[in-house]
Amino acid sequence: MDDIPLLSLYAALFVLLIVSAFFSISETSMMALNRYRLKHLAKTGHRGARLTTQLLARIDQFLGVVLLGNNLINAAVALLVGEIARRYLGGSEFALFVATGAAAFAILVFSEITPKVVGAAYPERIALPSSYVLTPLLKLLRPVVWFVNLFVQSLLWLLRLKPAEAAESKLTPEELRTLVLESGNYIPKKHQSILLNLFDLESITVDDVMTPRNQIEALDIDASPEVLRQQIATAYHRRLPVYQGQPDNIIGIILVRKLLTVSQHHEITANQLREIMREPYFIPSETPLFTQLQQFQEHQDRLCFVVDEYGELLGLLTLEDIVEELIGEFATHSPLQSTRFHRQPDGTYLVEGGSLLRELNRKLGYRFPLDGPKTLNGLIIEHLQDIPEPGTSLQLAGHRMEIVQTQDRAVKAVRLPAPSGQGVNSAGIR
């Protein structure tokens, strides 16, 4: 080495540090790549993305090339720095100490830390172009890499480790939710809301969104023709349940359009109703909403009745109820449903006790707990363990409320403040 000019040693050292930095920055950028965006780019025909995908699919060979190159170069850097130090300081122990420190500093700063920081910050900009260099390099050094990996695979086998299986990662629903929330401007807010609501369909049950039994609009098959005609003429819904005897005894469903056709020429009788009505469709309570959406598709139906374990009617669910959970309210409601809460001149809300907590949270912005009772009346009675008297004030789930009316062993009307200053999670009564 004594015959090599000092300037040539500096030039060789500079080139080696650059090549080492390339290996380090390529390794870090490829490991930091967003795998899902990489798959998307590869599917759209991006050649760099396809090459990068192929490299990451053979991760042992890829790392073998990178680490082989890096270690050989780092060893050469140490030799060059040692030679440069010997020429300046001689062959003393001090020269050896200085050479070791200088080589470690150069490798850390120029070949390790700086390239890795840049690679982690700009993974896509670096990894895709570098794949054009690493792919042919891998083919060139494949025999050497295969020989090294032979020992690596043997060691992994002795340790009972299977990196290929560990590398297969799948996103959980919560991780998908986080991806949607972190998508920023890539996904519009409305689309984010729909996706997040879709994740909730499996945890929400039909009991959370059904129309309660006492709010179902239905026809009594034993009513007189005049009463039936009046009910049909004033019906808000396109489908009406039909009951016999008690409102809980649902025996069929009728399309109002068919009834109007019949009523134009004849009086409506019980026999005519039986001829055109179809059988009701019953489902058990606590059915997940997503499951019920699939069942609607399989049955090619849009309406069902929810019953408890004893077969007692609890409520009615329609396909529109599920769609509204996904995209929000999109249709007008019947007068019965639209009067569940009224805004008062002082800014408070007068709310029916039978209002669904989920509906109050979604439409008015409250934060009532949803893991217990489904209605405001149920939440109040569960908390108090009693039927409160009108005028009773209490604070529940951070909301102060006043009981306005009770009737038939239930809370009929409650006064709630506007949903501002939320975040208090306390419960009290006075």
Side-chain angles (χ1 to χ4, degrees), residues 356-409:
L356 294 173
L357 296 175
R358 182 172 295 277
E359 185 179 21
L360 295 176
N361 290 351
R362 186 175 70 243
K363 294 183 178 180
L364 300 183
Y366 292 104
R367 295 183 180 175
F368 290 115
L370 302 176
D371 54 352
K374 309 300 181 184
T375 65
L376 183 59
N377 168 62
L379 184 67
I380 293 173
I381 292 178
E382 181 188 65
H383 174 67
L384 298 179
Q385 298 295 311
D386 194 10
I387 309 297
E389 295 291 331
T392 301
S393 296
L394 67 152
Q395 185 165 320
L396 187 57
H399 303 294
R400 181 167 294 278
M401 58 189 72
E402 178 187 354
I403 309 302
V404 177
Q405 180 186 4
T406 58
Q407 182 182 352
D408 298 331
R409 297 170 294 176

Side-chain angles (χ1 to χ4, degrees), residues 165-213:
E165 293 182 1
E168 295 179 359
S169 59
K170 296 182 179 180
L171 293 178
T172 65
E174 288 304 318
E175 290 170 337
L176 280 172
R177 180 190 298 273
T178 302
L179 279 179
V180 173
L181 290 173
E182 296 295 330
S183 61
N185 295 327
Y186 290 106
I187 302 179
K189 292 295 182 182
K190 183 62 177 178
H191 296 177
Q192 282 188 15
S193 176
I194 293 174
L195 289 173
L196 293 175
N197 290 338
L198 182 61
F199 297 145
D200 289 334
L201 283 190
E202 195 62 41
S203 60
I204 300 174
T205 66
V206 294
D207 304 60
D208 295 317
V209 299
M210 69 181 183
T211 301
R213 174 179 55 190

Side-chain angles (χ1 to χ4, degrees), residues 116-167:
K116 289 183 184 299
V117 170
V118 176
Y122 306 99
E124 189 174 317
R125 295 184 188 179
I126 297 170
L128 302 188
S130 65
S131 65
Y132 291 97
V133 178
L134 290 173
T135 299
L137 191 61
L138 175 60
K139 294 180 180 179
L140 180 65
L141 298 177
R142 181 164 291 167
V144 180
V145 173
W146 173 84
F147 180 74
V148 173
N149 281 339
L150 193 63
F151 294 92
V152 173
Q153 295 297 332
S154 300
L155 182 59
L156 291 175
W157 179 81
L158 289 175
L159 296 175
R160 298 293 189 270
L161 297 177
K162 297 180 179 179
E165 293 182 1

Side-chain angles (χ1 to χ4, degrees), residues 209-212 215-217 236-237 316 318 321 324 329 331-342 352 355-356 359 363:
V209 299
M210 69 181 183
T211 301
Q215 297 179 6
I216 297 176
E217 184 181 7
Y236 184 85
H237 302 282
L316 177 148
T318 65
D321 295 328
E324 285 193 0
E329 188 173 357
T332 56
H333 290 280
S334 66
L336 180 63
Q337 293 175 310
S338 62
T339 57
R340 290 180 185 172
F341 41 81
H342 300 277
E352 285 189 4
S355 300
L356 294 173
E359 185 179 21
K363 294 183 178 180

